[in-house]
Amino acid sequence: QVQLVESGGGVVQAGGSLRLSCAASGRTFNNYAMGWFRQAPGKEREFVAAISRSGDSTYYANSVKGRFTISRDNAKNTVYLQMNSLKPEDTAVYHCAARIATTSRAPGEYDYWGQGTQVTVSS
């Protein structure tokens, strides 16, 4: 069992930055690939970024590539999402998720989810 708690959301102007954190419980954090997803009102949950268990491999949605960076600190059981050059279309609830072994872009393949943190980007 893994429990995930996100933090770091807020309101920011377009062009600004935010850093999201996701703290995981348990001793086996490095057994899990981690992902960030987002869901805007009236829209389906969409993939944002994912990182392998070791942190050596990262993957991004085209819409955030070059602006967002995913990273993890296995000693702290934490995964991060650094978001730069934010746009109003980035406004959503951001969730982190965990799955055993390899990364995936499909939300249905993740086993554990956090409650989410709201990110609002004003124009």
Side-chain angles (χ1 to χ4, degrees):
Q1 189 79 7
V2 176
Q3 292 186 328
L4 304 172
V5 179
E6 302 96 334
S7 61
V11 180
V12 64
Q13 288 189 333
S17 298
L18 283 174
R19 188 194 196 202
L20 306 184
S21 299
C22 173
S25 65
R27 302 180 182 178
T28 58
F29 180 67
N30 59 1
N31 285 347
Y32 293 86
M34 301 296 296
W36 283 98
F37 294 81
R38 66 187 182 187
Q39 188 165 18
K43 294 188 176 181
E44 293 187 352
R45 190 167 295 188
E46 65 172 355
F47 170 77
V48 175
I51 189 166
S52 62
R53 289 174 292 172
S54 65
D56 289 346
S57 298
T58 57
Y59 308 89
Y60 297 93
N62 288 336
S63 59
V64 307
K65 197 173 295 184
R67 300 187 297 122
F68 291 10
T69 302
I70 188 171
S71 62
R72 66 190 294 162
D73 185 337
N74 285 343
K76 295 183 178 180
N77 284 11
T78 302
V79 63
Y80 305 97
L81 186 68
Q82 177 67 44
M83 305 186 295
N84 299 329
S85 303
L86 282 161
K87 304 175 181 180
E89 51 264 42
D90 294 319
T91 295
V93 176
Y94 283 71
H95 299 266
C96 68
R99 72 184 301 262
I100 287 286
T102 59
T103 57
S104 172
R105 294 172 180 256
E109 295 188 355
Y110 283 78
D111 303 303
Y112 303 101
W113 291 85
Q115 82 290 347
T117 185
Q118 175 71 47
V119 171
T120 303
V121 184
S122 62
S123 56

